[in-house]
Coordinates of all heavy atoms in Angstrom, one line a residue:
S1419 N 20.4 -21.5 15.0 CA 20.6 -20.0 15.3 C 19.5 -19.4 16.2 O 18.4 -20.0 16.2 CB 20.8 -19.3 14.0 OG 19.7 -19.1 13.4
Y1420 N 19.8 -18.4 16.8 CA 18.9 -17.7 17.7 C 18.5 -16.4 17.0 O 19.3 -15.7 16.6 CB 19.3 -17.5 19.0 CG 19.5 -18.8 19.9 CD1 20.8 -19.4 19.9 CD2 18.5 -19.5 20.5 CE1 20.9 -20.6 20.5 CE2 18.6 -20.6 21.1 CZ 19.8 -21.3 21.2 OH 20.0 -22.3 21.9
R1421 N 17.2 -16.0 17.2 CA 16.8 -14.7 16.8 C 16.6 -13.8 18.1 O 16.0 -14.3 19.0 CB 15.4 -14.8 16.1 CG 14.9 -13.5 15.7 CD 13.5 -13.7 15.0 NE 13.0 -12.4 14.4 CZ 12.2 -11.7 15.2 NH1 12.0 -11.8 16.4 NH2 11.8 -10.5 14.5
M1422 N 17.2 -12.6 18.0 CA 17.1 -11.8 19.1 C 15.6 -11.1 19.2 O 15.0 -10.9 18.0 CB 18.1 -10.6 19.2 CG 19.5 -11.0 19.2 SD 19.9 -12.1 20.7 CE 19.7 -10.9 21.8
C1423 N 15.1 -10.9 20.4 CA 13.8 -10.5 20.4 C 13.9 -8.9 20.3 O 14.5 -8.2 21.0 CB 13.1 -10.8 21.9 SG 11.6 -10.0 22.0
H1424 N 13.1 -8.4 19.2 CA 13.1 -7.0 18.9 C 12.2 -6.3 19.9 O 12.2 -5.0 19.9 CB 12.7 -6.8 17.5 CG 13.6 -7.3 16.5 ND1 13.2 -7.6 15.2 CD2 14.9 -7.4 16.5 CE1 14.4 -8.0 14.5 NE2 15.4 -7.9 15.4
G1425 N 11.5 -7.0 20.8 CA 10.8 -6.3 21.9 C 11.6 -5.9 23.0 O 11.2 -5.1 23.9
N1426 N 12.8 -6.4 23.1 CA 13.6 -6.3 24.3 C 14.4 -5.0 24.1 O 15.2 -4.8 23.2 CB 14.6 -7.5 24.4 CG 15.5 -7.4 25.5 OD1 15.9 -6.5 26.0 ND2 15.9 -8.6 26.1
K1427 N 14.2 -4.1 25.0 CA 14.7 -2.7 25.0 C 16.4 -2.8 25.1 O 17.1 -2.1 24.3 CB 14.3 -1.9 26.1 CG 14.8 -0.5 26.0 CD 14.3 0.4 27.2 CE 14.8 1.8 27.2 NZ 16.0 2.2 26.5
V1428 N 16.9 -3.8 25.9 CA 18.3 -3.9 25.9 C 19.0 -4.2 24.7 O 19.9 -3.6 24.2 CB 18.8 -4.9 27.0 CG1 20.3 -5.2 26.9 CG2 18.2 -4.6 28.3
W1429 N 18.3 -5.1 23.8 CA 18.7 -5.5 22.4 C 18.5 -4.3 21.5 O 19.5 -4.0 20.8 CB 18.0 -6.7 21.9 CG 18.2 -6.9 20.5 CD1 17.3 -6.8 19.4 CD2 19.5 -7.2 19.8 NE1 17.8 -7.1 18.2 CE2 19.2 -7.2 18.4 CE3 20.7 -7.4 20.3 CZ2 20.1 -7.6 17.5 CZ3 21.6 -7.7 19.2 CH2 21.3 -7.8 17.9
R1430 N 17.4 -3.6 21.5 CA 17.2 -2.5 20.7 C 18.2 -1.3 20.9 O 18.8 -0.9 20.0 CB 15.8 -1.9 20.9 CG 14.7 -2.7 20.2 CD 13.4 -1.9 20.1 NE 13.1 -1.2 21.3 CZ 12.4 -1.5 22.4 NH1 11.9 -2.7 22.3 NH2 12.1 -0.8 23.3
D1431 N 18.5 -1.1 22.1 CA 19.5 0.0 22.4 C 21.0 -0.5 21.9 O 21.7 0.4 21.4 CB 19.5 0.2 24.0 CG 18.4 0.9 24.5 OD1 17.6 1.4 23.7 OD2 18.2 0.9 25.7
Y1432 N 21.3 -1.8 22.1 CA 22.6 -2.3 21.7 C 22.6 -2.2 20.1 O 23.7 -1.7 19.6 CB 22.8 -3.8 22.2 CG 23.9 -4.4 21.4 CD1 25.3 -4.2 21.9 CD2 23.8 -5.2 20.3 CE1 26.3 -4.8 21.3 CE2 24.8 -5.9 19.6 CZ 26.1 -5.6 20.2 OH 27.2 -6.2 19.4
A1433 N 21.6 -2.7 19.5 CA 21.7 -2.6 18.0 C 21.7 -1.1 17.6 O 22.5 -0.9 16.5 CB 20.4 -3.2 17.4
L1434 N 21.0 -0.2 18.1 CA 21.1 1.1 17.7 C 22.5 1.7 17.9 O 23.0 2.4 16.9 CB 20.1 2.0 18.4 CG 20.0 3.5 18.1 CD1 19.7 3.8 16.6 CD2 19.0 4.1 19.0
E1435 N 23.1 1.5 19.0 CA 24.5 2.0 19.2 C 25.4 1.3 18.2 O 26.4 2.0 17.7 CB 25.0 1.8 20.7 CG 24.1 2.6 21.6 CD 24.4 4.1 21.3 OE1 25.4 4.6 21.0 OE2 23.3 4.7 21.3
M1436 N 25.2 0.0 17.9 CA 26.2 -0.7 17.0 C 26.0 -0.1 15.6 O 27.1 0.2 15.0 CB 25.8 -2.2 16.9 CG 26.6 -2.9 16.0 SD 26.0 -4.7 15.8 CE 24.3 -4.5 15.3
Y1437 N 24.8 0.2 15.1 CA 24.6 0.7 13.8 C 25.1 2.2 13.8 O 25.8 2.5 12.7 CB 23.2 0.7 13.4 CG 22.7 -0.8 13.2 CD1 21.4 -1.2 13.7 CD2 23.4 -1.7 12.5 CE1 21.0 -2.5 13.7 CE2 23.0 -2.8 12.3 CZ 21.7 -3.4 12.8 OH 21.3 -4.7 12.6
K1438 N 25.0 2.9 14.9 CA 25.7 4.3 14.8 C 27.1 4.2 14.6 O 27.7 5.0 14.0 CB 25.2 5.0 16.1 CG 23.9 5.5 16.2 CD 23.6 6.2 17.5 CE 22.2 6.7 17.6 NZ 21.9 7.4 18.9
R1439 N 27.7 3.3 15.3 CA 29.2 3.0 15.3 C 29.6 2.7 13.9 O 30.6 3.3 13.4 CB 29.6 2.0 16.3 CG 31.1 1.7 16.2 CD 31.5 0.7 17.3 NE 30.7 -0.6 17.2 CZ 31.1 -1.5 16.3 NH1 31.9 -1.4 15.5 NH2 30.3 -2.6 16.3
V1440 N 28.8 1.9 13.2 CA 29.2 1.4 11.9 C 29.2 2.6 11.0 O 29.9 2.8 10.1 CB 28.2 0.3 11.4 CG1 28.3 0.1 9.9 CG2 28.5 -1.0 12.1
Y1441 N 28.1 3.4 11.1 CA 28.1 4.7 10.3 C 29.2 5.6 10.5 O 29.9 6.0 9.6 CB 26.8 5.5 10.7 CG 25.5 5.2 10.1 CD1 24.4 5.4 10.7 CD2 25.4 4.8 8.8 CE1 23.1 5.2 10.1 CE2 24.2 4.6 8.2 CZ 23.1 4.8 8.8 OH 21.9 4.4 8.2
A1442 N 29.6 5.7 11.8 CA 30.7 6.6 12.1 C 32.0 6.1 11.6 O 32.8 6.8 11.0 CB 30.8 6.9 13.7
E1443 N 32.2 4.8 11.7 CA 33.5 4.2 11.3 C 33.6 4.0 9.8 O 34.7 3.9 9.2 CB 33.6 2.8 12.0 CG 33.9 3.0 13.6 CD 34.1 1.6 14.2 OE1 34.1 0.5 13.6 OE2 34.2 1.7 15.5
T1444 N 32.6 3.8 9.1 CA 32.6 3.4 7.7 C 32.3 4.5 6.8 O 32.7 4.6 5.7 CB 31.8 2.2 7.3 OG1 30.4 2.6 7.5 CG2 32.1 1.0 8.1
G1445 N 31.4 5.5 7.3 CA 31.0 6.5 6.4 C 30.1 6.2 5.4 O 29.8 7.0 4.4
V1446 N 29.4 5.0 5.5 CA 28.4 4.6 4.5 C 27.2 5.5 4.6 O 26.9 6.2 5.6 CB 28.0 3.2 4.8 CG1 29.0 2.2 4.6 CG2 27.2 3.0 6.1
K1447 N 26.4 5.7 3.5 CA 25.2 6.5 3.5 C 23.9 5.7 3.7 O 23.0 6.2 3.9 CB 25.2 7.3 2.2 CG 26.3 8.3 2.0 CD 26.2 9.3 1.0 CE 27.3 10.3 1.0 NZ 27.3 11.2 -0.1
I1448 N 24.1 4.4 3.3 CA 22.9 3.6 3.4 C 23.3 2.2 4.1 O 24.4 1.6 3.9 CB 22.3 3.2 2.0 CG1 21.7 4.4 1.3 CG2 21.3 2.1 2.2 CD1 21.4 4.2 -0.1
L1449 N 22.5 1.8 5.0 CA 22.7 0.6 5.8 C 21.6 -0.2 5.7 O 20.3 0.2 6.0 CB 23.0 1.0 7.3 CG 23.3 -0.2 8.2 CD1 24.7 -0.9 7.7 CD2 23.5 0.2 9.7
Y1450 N 21.7 -1.4 5.1 CA 20.6 -2.4 4.9 C 20.6 -3.4 5.9 O 21.6 -4.2 6.1 CB 20.7 -3.0 3.4 CG 19.7 -4.0 3.1 CD1 18.4 -3.6 2.8 CD2 19.8 -5.4 3.4 CE1 17.5 -4.5 2.4 CE2 18.9 -6.3 3.1 CZ 17.6 -5.8 2.7 OH 16.6 -6.7 2.4
I1451 N 19.5 -3.5 6.6 CA 19.4 -4.5 7.7 C 18.3 -5.5 7.2 O 17.4 -5.3 6.9 CB 18.9 -3.8 9.0 CG1 19.9 -2.7 9.3 CG2 18.7 -4.8 10.1 CD1 19.3 -1.8 10.4
D1452 N 18.8 -6.9 7.3 CA 18.0 -8.0 6.9 C 18.0 -8.9 8.1 O 18.7 -10.0 8.0 CB 18.6 -8.5 5.6 CG 17.6 -9.6 5.1 OD1 16.5 -9.7 5.6 OD2 18.0 -10.4 4.2
E1453 N 17.3 -8.7 9.1 CA 17.3 -9.7 10.2 C 15.9 -9.8 10.8 O 15.7 -9.8 12.0 CB 18.3 -9.2 11.3 CG 18.0 -7.8 12.0 CD 18.9 -7.5 13.0 OE1 20.1 -6.9 12.7 OE2 18.5 -7.7 14.2
F1454 N 15.0 -9.8 9.9 CA 13.5 -9.9 10.3 C 12.9 -11.3 9.9 O 13.2 -11.7 8.8 CB 12.8 -8.8 9.8 CG 13.3 -7.4 10.1 CD1 14.0 -6.7 9.2 CD2 13.3 -6.9 11.4 CE1 14.6 -5.5 9.5 CE2 13.9 -5.7 11.8 CZ 14.5 -5.1 10.9
S1455 N 12.2 -11.8 10.7 CA 11.6 -13.1 10.3 C 10.2 -13.1 10.9 O 9.8 -12.9 12.0 CB 12.3 -14.3 11.0 OG 11.7 -15.4 10.7
L1456 N 9.2 -13.5 10.1 CA 7.8 -13.6 10.6 C 7.4 -15.1 10.7 O 6.3 -15.4 10.9 CB 6.9 -12.9 9.5 CG 7.1 -11.5 9.4 CD1 6.3 -10.9 8.3 CD2 7.0 -10.7 10.8
R1457 N 8.5 -16.0 10.9 CA 8.1 -17.3 11.1 C 7.5 -17.6 12.5 O 8.1 -16.9 13.5 CB 9.3 -18.3 10.9 CG 9.7 -18.3 9.5 CD 10.9 -19.3 9.2 NE 12.0 -18.6 9.9 CZ 13.2 -19.1 10.0 NH1 13.4 -20.3 9.4 NH2 14.2 -18.5 10.6
I1458 N 6.4 -18.2 12.7 CA 5.7 -18.3 13.9 C 6.6 -18.7 15.1 O 6.4 -18.4 16.2 CB 4.4 -19.0 13.8 CG1 3.5 -18.7 14.9 CG2 4.6 -20.5 13.6 CD1 2.1 -18.5 14.7
H1459 N 7.5 -19.7 14.7 CA 8.4 -20.3 15.8 C 9.4 -19.2 16.4 O 10.1 -19.5 17.3 CB 9.0 -21.5 15.4 CG 10.0 -21.4 14.4 ND1 9.7 -21.4 13.0 CD2 11.3 -21.3 14.5 CE1 10.8 -21.3 12.3 NE2 11.9 -21.1 13.2
N1460 N 9.5 -18.0 15.8 CA 10.3 -17.0 16.2 C 9.7 -16.1 17.3 O 10.3 -15.1 17.9 CB 10.8 -16.2 15.2 CG 11.9 -16.8 14.3 OD1 12.5 -17.8 14.8 ND2 12.0 -16.5 13.0
R1461 N 8.4 -16.4 17.6 CA 7.8 -15.6 18.6 C 8.5 -15.6 20.0 O 9.0 -16.7 20.3 CB 6.3 -15.9 18.9 CG 5.4 -15.5 17.6 CD 4.1 -15.8 17.8 NE 3.8 -17.1 18.1 CZ 2.6 -17.7 18.3 NH1 1.6 -16.9 18.3 NH2 2.4 -18.9 18.5
C1462 N 8.4 -14.6 20.8 CA 9.1 -14.6 22.1 C 8.0 -14.8 23.2 O 6.9 -14.2 23.1 CB 9.8 -13.3 22.1 SG 10.6 -13.1 23.9
Y1463 N 8.3 -15.6 24.1 CA 7.4 -15.8 25.2 C 7.9 -15.3 26.6 O 7.3 -15.5 27.6 CB 7.2 -17.4 25.4 CG 6.5 -17.9 24.3 CD1 7.0 -18.3 23.1 CD2 5.0 -18.1 24.4 CE1 6.3 -18.8 22.1 CE2 4.3 -18.7 23.3 CZ 4.9 -19.0 22.1 OH 4.3 -19.5 21.2
A1464 N 9.0 -14.4 26.5 CA 9.4 -13.8 27.7 C 8.5 -12.7 28.2 O 8.1 -11.8 27.4 CB 10.8 -13.2 27.5
D1465 N 8.2 -12.7 29.5 CA 7.1 -11.6 29.9 C 8.0 -10.3 30.4 O 7.4 -9.5 31.0 CB 6.3 -12.2 31.0 CG 7.0 -12.8 32.1 OD1 8.2 -12.7 32.3 OD2 6.3 -13.3 33.1
T1466 N 9.2 -10.3 30.3 CA 10.0 -9.2 30.8 C 10.5 -8.3 29.6 O 11.3 -7.3 29.9 CB 11.2 -9.7 31.5 OG1 12.0 -10.6 30.7 CG2 10.9 -10.5 32.8
H1467 N 10.1 -8.6 28.4 CA 10.6 -7.7 27.2 C 9.7 -6.6 26.8 O 10.0 -5.9 25.9 CB 10.8 -8.7 26.0 CG 11.9 -9.6 26.2 ND1 12.2 -10.5 25.3 CD2 12.8 -9.7 27.1 CE1 13.2 -11.2 25.6 NE2 13.7 -10.8 26.8
G1468 N 8.6 -6.4 27.5 CA 7.7 -5.3 27.3 C 6.7 -5.4 26.0 O 6.2 -4.5 25.6
H1469 N 6.5 -6.7 25.7 CA 5.5 -7.0 24.6 C 4.5 -8.0 25.2 O 4.7 -8.7 26.3 CB 6.2 -7.5 23.3 CG 7.1 -8.7 23.6 ND1 6.6 -9.9 24.0 CD2 8.4 -8.9 23.5 CE1 7.5 -10.8 24.2 NE2 8.6 -10.2 23.9
E1470 N 3.5 -8.2 24.4 CA 2.5 -9.2 24.7 C 3.0 -10.5 24.7 O 4.1 -10.7 23.9 CB 1.1 -9.0 23.9 CG 1.5 -9.2 22.4 CD 0.5 -8.6 21.4 OE1 0.2 -7.3 21.6 OE2 -0.1 -9.4 20.7
V1471 N 2.5 -11.5 25.3 CA 3.0 -12.9 25.4 C 2.0 -13.8 24.8 O 1.0 -13.9 25.2 CB 3.5 -13.4 26.7 CG1 4.0 -14.7 26.7 CG2 4.5 -12.4 27.4
P1472 N 2.4 -14.6 23.7 CA 3.6 -14.4 23.0 C 3.7 -13.2 22.1 O 2.6 -12.5 21.9 CB 3.5 -15.7 22.0 CG 2.1 -15.9 21.7 CD 1.4 -15.5 23.0
S1473 N 4.9 -12.9 21.6 CA 5.0 -11.6 20.9 C 4.3 -11.6 19.6 O 4.2 -12.7 19.0 CB 6.5 -11.3 20.9 OG 7.1 -12.2 19.9
N1474 N 4.0 -10.3 19.2 CA 3.4 -10.2 17.9 C 4.7 -9.7 17.0 O 5.1 -8.6 17.2 CB 2.4 -9.1 17.9 CG 1.8 -8.8 16.5 OD1 2.5 -8.7 15.6 ND2 0.5 -8.6 16.5
L1475 N 5.1 -10.6 16.0 CA 6.3 -10.2 15.4 C 6.2 -9.1 14.6 O 7.1 -8.1 14.4 CB 6.7 -11.5 14.5 CG 7.1 -12.7 15.3 CD1 7.4 -13.8 14.3 CD2 8.4 -12.4 16.1
L1476 N 5.0 -8.8 14.0 CA 4.9 -7.5 13.2 C 5.1 -6.2 14.1 O 5.7 -5.3 13.7 CB 3.5 -7.5 12.5 CG 3.2 -8.5 11.5 CD1 1.7 -8.4 11.0 CD2 4.1 -8.2 10.3
K1477 N 4.5 -6.3 15.3 CA 4.6 -5.2 16.1 C 6.1 -5.0 16.7 O 6.6 -3.8 16.7 CB 3.6 -5.3 17.4 CG 2.2 -5.1 17.0 CD 1.4 -5.2 18.3 CE -0.1 -5.1 18.0 NZ -0.9 -5.2 19.3
T1478 N 6.7 -6.1 17.2 CA 8.1 -6.0 17.6 C 9.0 -5.5 16.6 O 10.0 -4.7 16.8 CB 8.5 -7.1 18.4 OG1 8.3 -8.3 17.5 CG2 7.6 -7.4 19.6
D1479 N 8.9 -6.0 15.4 CA 9.7 -5.8 14.3 C 9.6 -4.2 13.9 O 10.5 -3.5 13.7 CB 9.6 -6.6 13.0 CG 10.4 -7.9 13.2 OD1 10.9 -8.2 14.2 OD2 10.2 -8.8 12.5
R1480 N 8.3 -3.8 13.9 CA 8.0 -2.4 13.4 C 8.6 -1.4 14.5 O 9.2 -0.5 14.0 CB 6.5 -2.1 13.3 CG 6.2 -0.7 13.0 CD 4.6 -0.4 13.3 NE 4.4 -0.4 14.7 CZ 3.4 -0.8 15.3 NH1 2.4 -1.4 14.6 NH2 3.3 -1.0 16.5
N1481 N 8.4 -1.8 15.8 CA 9.0 -0.9 16.8 C 10.5 -0.8 16.7 O 11.2 0.2 16.9 CB 8.6 -1.3 18.2 CG 7.0 -1.1 18.3 OD1 6.4 -0.4 17.6 ND2 6.5 -1.8 19.3
F1482 N 11.1 -2.0 16.4 CA 12.6 -2.0 16.3 C 13.1 -1.1 15.1 O 14.0 -0.4 15.2 CB 13.0 -3.5 16.0 CG 14.5 -3.7 15.8 CD1 15.3 -3.6 16.9 CD2 15.1 -4.1 14.7 CE1 16.7 -3.8 16.8 CE2 16.5 -4.4 14.5 CZ 17.2 -4.2 15.5
I1483 N 12.4 -1.3 13.9 CA 12.8 -0.5 12.9 C 12.5 0.9 13.1 O 13.4 1.8 12.7 CB 11.9 -1.0 11.5 CG1 12.2 -2.3 11.1 CG2 12.1 0.0 10.3 CD1 11.2 -3.0 10.2
T1484 N 11.4 1.3 13.8 CA 11.2 2.7 14.1 C 12.3 3.3 14.9 O 12.8 4.4 14.7 CB 9.8 2.8 14.8 OG1 8.8 2.4 13.9 CG2 9.5 4.3 15.1
S1485 N 12.7 2.5 16.0 CA 13.9 3.0 16.8 C 15.1 3.1 16.1 O 15.8 4.1 16.4 CB 14.0 2.1 18.0 OG 14.6 0.8 17.7
L1486 N 15.3 2.4 15.1 CA 16.6 2.5 14.3 C 16.5 3.8 13.4 O 17.4 4.5 13.2 CB 16.8 1.2 13.5 CG 17.2 0.0 14.3 CD1 17.2 -1.2 13.3 CD2 18.4 0.1 15.1
T1487 N 15.4 3.8 12.7 CA 15.4 4.9 11.6 C 15.1 6.2 12.3 O 15.4 7.3 11.6 CB 14.2 4.6 10.5 OG1 13.0 4.5 11.4 CG2 14.6 3.4 9.8
S1488 N 14.5 6.3 13.5 CA 14.3 7.6 14.1 C 15.6 8.3 14.4 O 15.6 9.6 14.5 CB 13.5 7.5 15.3 OG 14.3 6.9 16.4
G1489 N 16.7 7.6 14.5 CA 18.1 8.3 14.7 C 18.8 8.6 13.4 O 19.9 9.0 13.4
S1490 N 18.2 8.3 12.3 CA 18.8 8.5 11.0 C 18.9 9.9 10.6 O 18.0 10.7 10.8 CB 18.1 7.8 9.8 OG 18.2 6.5 10.0
S1491 N 20.0 10.4 10.1 CA 20.1 11.8 9.6 C 19.7 12.0 8.2 O 19.3 10.9 7.5 CB 21.6 12.2 9.6 OG 22.4 11.5 8.6
E1492 N 19.5 13.1 7.6 CA 19.1 13.3 6.2 C 20.1 12.6 5.3 O 19.7 12.2 4.2 CB 19.2 14.8 5.9 CG 18.1 15.6 6.6 CD 16.7 15.1 6.1 OE1 16.5 15.0 4.9 OE2 15.7 14.9 6.8
R1493 N 21.3 12.5 5.5 CA 22.4 12.0 4.5 C 22.6 10.5 4.7 O 23.1 10.0 3.8 CB 23.7 12.7 4.9 CG 23.6 14.2 4.5 CD 24.9 15.1 4.8 NE 26.0 14.4 4.1 CZ 27.2 14.4 4.5 NH1 27.6 15.1 5.6 NH2 28.2 13.8 3.9
R1494 N 22.2 9.9 5.9 CA 22.4 8.5 6.0 C 21.1 7.9 6.3 O 20.3 8.4 7.0 CB 23.4 8.3 7.0 CG 24.7 8.7 6.8 CD 25.7 8.4 7.8 NE 27.0 8.9 7.3 CZ 28.0 9.0 8.3 NH1 27.8 8.9 9.5 NH2 29.2 9.4 7.7
R1495 N 20.7 6.8 5.6 CA 19.5 6.1 5.7 C 19.7 4.6 6.3 O 20.7 3.9 5.8 CB 18.8 6.1 4.5 CG 18.4 7.5 4.1 CD 17.3 8.1 4.9 NE 17.0 9.3 4.4 CZ 16.5 10.3 5.1 NH1 16.3 10.1 6.3 NH2 16.3 11.5 4.6
I1496 N 18.8 4.1 7.0 CA 18.8 2.6 7.3 C 17.6 2.0 6.5 O 16.4 2.6 6.7 CB 18.5 2.5 8.8 CG1 19.8 3.0 9.6 CG2 18.2 1.0 9.2 CD1 19.6 2.9 11.1
L1497 N 17.8 1.1 5.8 CA 16.8 0.4 5.0 C 16.6 -1.0 5.5 O 17.6 -1.6 6.0 CB 17.2 0.2 3.6 CG 17.4 1.6 2.8 CD1 17.9 1.3 1.4 CD2 16.4 2.5 2.9
S1498 N 15.4 -1.5 5.6 CA 15.1 -2.8 6.1 C 14.2 -3.5 5.1 O 13.5 -2.9 4.4 CB 14.6 -2.8 7.5 OG 13.5 -2.0 7.6

């Protein structure tokens, strides 16, 4: 399987829109996301994703989580 690079803005934007759609369609109040991995072989070496090369998984995952939770409302939460 492949792990998407959380440093890639295109992926972050896609995921954010997907999670917003899930909220709207299901009416859930909590969304649990479990797609993070700190295994060293998951680092990204693409120099077009806006992160250092190789990527720092802690930083890219933190930025991904921040982008997801910044759009959360008071009544709905994203947990990771």
Side-chain angles (χ1 to χ4, degrees):
S1419 70
Y1420 292 96
R1421 178 183 185 269
M1422 298 304 293
C1423 175
H1424 291 155
N1426 184 325
K1427 183 177 179 343
V1428 173
W1429 167 247
R1430 283 194 319 269
D1431 291 347
Y1432 168 80
L1434 181 57
E1435 291 306 313
M1436 177 185 60
Y1437 294 133
K1438 284 181 182 179
R1439 181 179 52 79
V1440 169
Y1441 272 148
E1443 290 177 5
T1444 64
V1446 298
K1447 294 186 179 181
I1448 296 174
L1449 185 60
Y1450 180 80
I1451 302 168
D1452 185 16
E1453 58 178 88
F1454 306 104
S1455 174
L1456 296 177
R1457 292 181 293 181
I1458 197 137
H1459 69 273
N1460 285 337
R1461 291 189 297 182
C1462 178
Y1463 290 84
D1465 60 2
T1466 58
H1467 289 178
H1469 56 65
E1470 58 202 62
V1471 177
S1473 63
N1474 178 318
L1475 294 173
L1476 291 174
K1477 287 181 183 178
T1478 55
D1479 284 354
R1480 181 196 65 218
N1481 293 341
F1482 181 70
I1483 293 166
T1484 300
S1485 70
L1486 294 175
T1487 58
S1488 66
S1490 295
S1491 70
E1492 288 293 319
R1493 295 177 54 207
R1494 296 183 175 160
R1495 300 284 181 210
I1496 295 177
L1497 303 175
S1498 58

